[in-house]
């Protein structure tokens, strides 16, 4: 047991899970969080009320013995339920069998479980309503403001792990360093959350075990189930142009738009216009930066280092995988003092950066898949053939979506194999619109040679 102190900035998903990992190694962890304690105050948990949890996140939770408790918060989603313009439904399973599923989880419920476990089982100290204002990177200190009384003070307990999300103060401070590479690429699309209420008996009004999608080409609506019978619905739409958040400027225009584009969803949200103008419109972007660390004093984790757009449902999963990998980097040799931490931070960044770059790219591609390609018969045919090839070559050919969601191969490897597999599928299908003419001898050869 080390007894060494560690400071974490941000008690969100990454900060609170990493606190558990580090406390289990004997470190004394203090977490400083700008927001009030969500267990005591009725605050929204932040962006997105619920999230899709998949294998990578589950793996990281399992490692610290949390999966059993988390499983009580989960609703299985077995596939995509597509809603077309005439409210016809079609179901596309996510995986090749019943085990290949993802889960909907409440962000608030999950975050509270992590806070409770860290605090009660591992002695982690949380100080809420303490906002990081600035950092002195060479000195290894941060200036904080106590929101309750406005008092400012300095914390210089290094190492300092910045889990302060996509708007990270520490990353922005690092980005002022000469030669520092940092980019925040925001989409021209934004999102707004809405709710489909539960039935009077607390039931779900539409299929509970699916992620619902209303794909409409340039925009889409999705809905994820909640345990209380409600659904959290998200509209993804351009900020300006037609249609856009800009053109949906009156209750009539919103209702009209939903009547034309999402008539069955409109019928489930009687107070749509009220919700639409009460709930905020959120931005989505990808964060790229390098390095993620400053000596042995500071390191970025989770969205602070690599925020991604939400279309692969992997931001939290990647942030949880960070915690798992960070812990593995410590396990290589107990870090002592700044030099020891510098080694851990460097190793962590080396392992993670190529992979988080890969998931960033795949998440961007998945937006087109969700809002558009899922409607295309060629897309389904490729999916069918991919599953057939997986059945025949389970160790070699695994669809990219499955590699990302149900396996643990590094994201960069999933991306690399995904490109080759797409080429093989295209070559095997040619211009056919059925699988009848697939040449499996050729498949055998291509897979042996290329995968
Ligand atoms: C619409 C939407 C849907 C999403 N859906 C999914 C999904 O289905 N699956 C998935 O895996 N991911 C999803 N994500 C991504 C996921 O939300 C993030 O990747 C995840 O929250 C990252 O965790 P984090 O702890 O790094 O950051 P955050 O969760 O943002 O936590 C950062 C914490 O730092 C605190 N903080 C910020 N600034 C300061 C400061 N100056 N001082 C002190 N504290 C500070 C914040 O209050 C917060 O508590 C989605 C994101 C969005 C926007």
């Amino acid at each position: 047991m080390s007894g060494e102190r560690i400071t974490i900035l941000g008690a969100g998903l990454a900060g609170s899970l990493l606190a558990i990992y580090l406390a289990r190694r004997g470190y004394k962890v203090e977490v400083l969080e700008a927001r009030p304690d969500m267990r005591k105050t009725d605050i929204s948990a932040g962006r997105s009320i619920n999230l899709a949890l998949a294998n990578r996140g589950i793996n990281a939770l399992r490692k610290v013995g949390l999966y059993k408790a988390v499983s009580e918060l989960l609703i299985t989603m077995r596939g995509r339920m597509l809603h077309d313009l005439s409210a016809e439904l079609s179901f596309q399973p996510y995986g090749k069998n019943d085990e290949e599923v993802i889960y909907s989880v409440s962000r608030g419920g999950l975050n509270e479980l992590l806070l409770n476990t860290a605090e009660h089982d591992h002695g982690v100290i949380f100080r809420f309503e303490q906002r990081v204002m600035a950092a002195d990177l060479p000195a290894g200190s941060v200036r904080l403001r106590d929101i309750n009384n406005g008092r400012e003070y300095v914390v210089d307990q290094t190492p300092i792990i910045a889990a302060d999300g996509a708007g990270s103060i520490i990353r922005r401070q690092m980005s002022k360093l000469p030669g520092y590479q940092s980019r925040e690429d925001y989409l021209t699309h934004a999102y707004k959350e809405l709710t489909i209420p539960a039935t009077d008996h607390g039931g779900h009004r539409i299929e509970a075990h699916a992620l619902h999608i209303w794909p409409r080409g340039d925009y889409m609506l999705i809905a994820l189930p909640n345990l209380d019978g409600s659904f959290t619905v998200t509209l993804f739409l351009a900020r300006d142009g037609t249609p856009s958040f800009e053109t949906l400027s009156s209750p009539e225009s919103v209702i009209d738009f939903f009547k034309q584009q999402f008539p069955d969803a409109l019928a489930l949200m009687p107070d749509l216009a009220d919700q639409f103008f009460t709930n905020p419109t959120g931005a989505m972007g990808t964060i790229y930066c390098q390095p993620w660390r400053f000596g042995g004093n500071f390191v970025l984790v989770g969205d602070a280092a690599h925020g991604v757009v939400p279309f692969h449902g992997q931001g939290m999963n990647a942030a949880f995988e960070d915690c798992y990998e960070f812990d593995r980097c410590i396990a290589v040799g107990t870090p002592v003092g700044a030099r020891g931490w510098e080694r851990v931070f460097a190793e962590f960044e080396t392992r993670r950066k190529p992979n988080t770059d890969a998931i960033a790219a795949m998440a961007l591609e998945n937006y087109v898949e969700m809002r558009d390609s899922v409607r295309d018969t060629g897309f389904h045919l490729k999916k069918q053939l991919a599953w057939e090839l997986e059945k025949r070559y389970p160790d070699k050919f695994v669809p990219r979506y499955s590699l990302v969601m149900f396996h643990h191969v590094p994201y960069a490897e999933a991306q690399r194999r995904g490109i080759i597999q797409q080429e093989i599928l295209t070559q095997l299908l040619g211009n056919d619109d059925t699988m009848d003419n697939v040449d499996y001898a050729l498949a055998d050869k291509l897979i042996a040679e290329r995968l």
Side-chain angles (χ1 to χ4, degrees):
M1 300 296 258
S2 124
E4 195 183 338
R5 291 177 184 278
I6 295 181
T7 307
I8 296 181
L9 309 177
L13 295 168
S16 41
L17 181 60
L18 190 55
I20 295 173
Y21 267 92
L22 294 171
R24 279 166 56 98
R25 286 199 172 272
Y27 294 104
K28 292 197 181 328
V29 185
E30 183 169 69
V31 186
L32 302 162
E33 164 61 47
R35 291 152 60 91
D37 187 345
M38 60 169 65
R39 296 166 297 178
K40 298 183 183 148
T41 326
D42 189 17
I43 50 166
S44 89
R47 301 157 305 162
S48 81
I49 291 156
N50 56 21
L51 302 150
L53 177 69
N55 244 17
R56 289 166 202 271
I58 290 174
N59 188 43
L61 293 164
R62 213 187 280 282
K63 175 86 190 294
V64 291
L66 271 177
Y67 187 59
K68 190 164 180 298
V70 170
S71 61
E72 286 170 23
L73 305 175
L74 306 181
I75 302 186
T76 307
M77 297 187 292
R78 299 198 177 93
R80 296 165 168 157
M81 184 69 83
L82 303 184
H83 297 239
D84 76 8
L85 273 175
S86 55
E88 281 291 317
L89 300 180
S90 55
F91 182 73
Q92 296 176 356
Y94 276 130
K96 64 177 186 308
N97 59 35
D98 286 353
E99 278 160 33
E100 295 197 336
V101 295
I102 59 173
Y103 302 92
S104 174
V105 65
S106 139
R107 180 191 290 269
L110 180 56
N111 211 150
E112 285 192 20
L113 174 70
L114 295 174
L115 294 174
N116 283 334
T117 307
E119 193 171 62
H120 302 147
D121 299 353
H122 299 287
V124 172
I125 294 169
F126 288 95
R127 292 177 45 223
F128 294 94
E129 298 181 79
Q130 309 299 316
R131 177 175 293 283
V132 181
M133 306 300 292
D136 184 334
L137 301 171
S141 65
V142 280
R143 187 158 50 80
L144 287 116
R145 176 176 296 158
D146 184 331
I147 309 279
N148 295 301
N149 54 24
R151 189 179 67 90
E152 295 209 354
Y153 60 100
V154 169
V155 167
D156 58 3
Q157 184 62 65
T158 56
I160 299 175
I161 300 176
D164 52 342
S168 172
I169 296 279
I170 305 304
R171 188 187 70 250
R172 291 192 173 152
Q173 194 92 26
M174 286 181 178
S175 69
K176 293 180 192 154
L177 296 167
Y180 193 82
Q181 295 171 40
S182 175
R183 222 170 77 224
E184 300 179 15
D185 281 355
Y186 285 93
L187 294 184
T188 50
H189 283 209
Y191 73 95
K192 186 181 289 284
E193 289 193 321
L194 305 160
T195 304
I196 295 175
T199 65
D200 293 344
H201 306 292
H204 292 95
R205 290 177 194 269
I206 48 179
E207 169 58 47
H209 296 291
L211 191 154
H212 293 259
I213 311 183
W214 289 255
R216 297 293 181 262
D218 195 42
Y219 48 90
M220 68 176 176
L221 195 66
I222 68 167
L224 272 74
N226 295 310
L227 283 176
D228 66 2
S230 65
F231 279 82
T232 302
V233 177
T234 312
L235 172 64
F236 295 97
L237 178 67
R239 283 189 177 280
D240 42 42
T242 308
S244 69
F245 280 107
E246 194 181 54
T247 59
L248 300 184
S249 54
S250 65
E252 297 72 34
S253 60
V254 173
I255 302 288
D256 258 14
F257 178 62
F258 272 70
K259 220 180 249 169
Q260 283 169 29
Q261 298 299 327
F262 315 114
D264 52 338
L266 174 63
L268 299 168
M269 292 186 284
D271 59 344
L272 170 66
D274 283 350
Q275 289 194 49
F276 196 92
F277 291 104
T278 307
N279 298 350
T281 307
M284 296 172 289
T286 309
I287 309 283
Y288 306 93
C289 65
Q290 201 165 20
W292 289 0
R293 63 207 148 86
F294 187 91
N297 285 348
F298 287 91
V299 68
L300 307 171
V301 301
D303 276 13
H306 52 74
V308 297
V309 295
F311 306 113
H312 221 306
Q314 279 291 311
M316 164 188 64
N317 286 281
F320 282 177
E321 201 175 50
D322 278 0
C323 301
Y324 178 89
E325 290 294 336
F326 193 90
D327 186 65
R328 287 184 62 202
C329 295
I330 294 180
V332 173
T334 307
V336 182
R339 287 194 74 104
W341 285 109
E342 194 168 352
R343 178 192 59 71
V344 170
F345 296 170
E347 174 70 18
F348 171 66
E349 183 178 338
T350 304
R351 281 192 197 189
R352 294 300 285 158
K353 172 77 174 147
N355 291 309
T356 56
D357 283 349
I359 189 58
M362 293 189 284
L364 284 164
E365 283 170 25
N366 229 43
Y367 189 24
V368 182
E369 174 168 326
M370 282 178 88
R371 68 180 200 228
D372 202 14
S373 319
V374 287
R375 305 186 297 178
D376 178 26
T377 46
F379 171 83
H380 294 296
L381 193 61
K382 276 192 173 160
K383 254 208 146 81
Q384 291 305 324
L385 180 56
W387 278 329
E388 180 56 36
L389 295 178
E390 186 180 14
K391 221 185 280 166
R392 292 170 183 242
Y393 309 93
D395 299 329
K396 293 206 161 172
F397 196 108
V398 180
R400 187 180 91 178
Y401 184 85
S402 304
L403 287 173
V404 171
M405 303 305 270
F406 311 131
H407 292 252
H408 302 297
V409 299
Y411 287 124
E413 176 64 8
Q415 186 186 35
R416 188 190 71 78
R417 283 167 64 175
I419 292 168
I420 298 171
Q421 292 178 169
Q422 269 305 314
E423 288 168 4
I424 293 177
L425 292 173
T426 306
Q427 191 170 344
L428 291 174
L429 283 169
N431 293 325
D432 286 1
D433 50 13
T434 74
M435 277 167 47
D436 296 348
N437 302 322
V438 169
D439 177 349
Y440 286 103
L442 177 61
D444 202 60
K445 181 170 171 290
L446 291 174
I447 290 171
E449 279 172 8
R450 303 198 61 196
L451 287 170

